[in-house]
Amino acid sequence: ETPLQPRPRLNSSVTTFRFNVGASLIAAQKQAGISNLKLAKDFGVCKQTATRWRSKADQKVSVVFALSEYFGMSCESFLDLGR
């Protein structure tokens, strides 16, 4: 039987970045003049899903990549819109 090892501690100097994907999406849509309905059609989802994306601060990374590509910008630039 192996004794329990203590968990490694995270470096307290690590910076955490917080992004609001919903706010980024709202800003990107406004800049590009894209409605929720068009966004939903282009992504092949229902309008409610696109509306839900706008109201969520966090989102799957795959959705963030897809949205940033859709709006023709890097993920960093897309996420910076929501700050």
Side-chain angles (χ1 to χ4, degrees):
E1 195 172 309
T2 308
L4 293 175
Q5 297 295 320
R7 286 184 165 182
R9 292 184 146 204
L10 292 176
N11 184 343
S12 61
S13 66
V14 173
T15 303
T16 302
F17 295 99
R18 300 211 183 260
F19 301 100
N20 185 327
V21 178
S24 297
L25 177 56
I26 291 167
Q29 282 182 271
K30 187 175 182 178
Q31 282 182 0
I34 303 288
S35 69
N36 275 2
L37 184 57
K38 175 158 177 43
L39 183 73
K41 284 183 180 179
D42 290 347
F43 275 86
V45 298
C46 65
K47 186 179 174 198
Q48 289 80 2
T49 298
T51 301
R52 208 171 306 122
W53 290 344
R54 291 170 54 107
S55 65
K56 289 180 71 179
D58 62 339
Q59 191 57 259
K60 291 180 183 177
V61 172
S62 60
V63 174
V64 175
F65 279 125
L67 288 170
S68 62
E69 187 175 274
Y70 177 79
F71 289 105
M73 55 183 68
S74 69
C75 285
E76 184 179 1
S77 296
F78 175 75
L79 292 171
D80 281 343
L81 293 174
R83 288 186 176 206

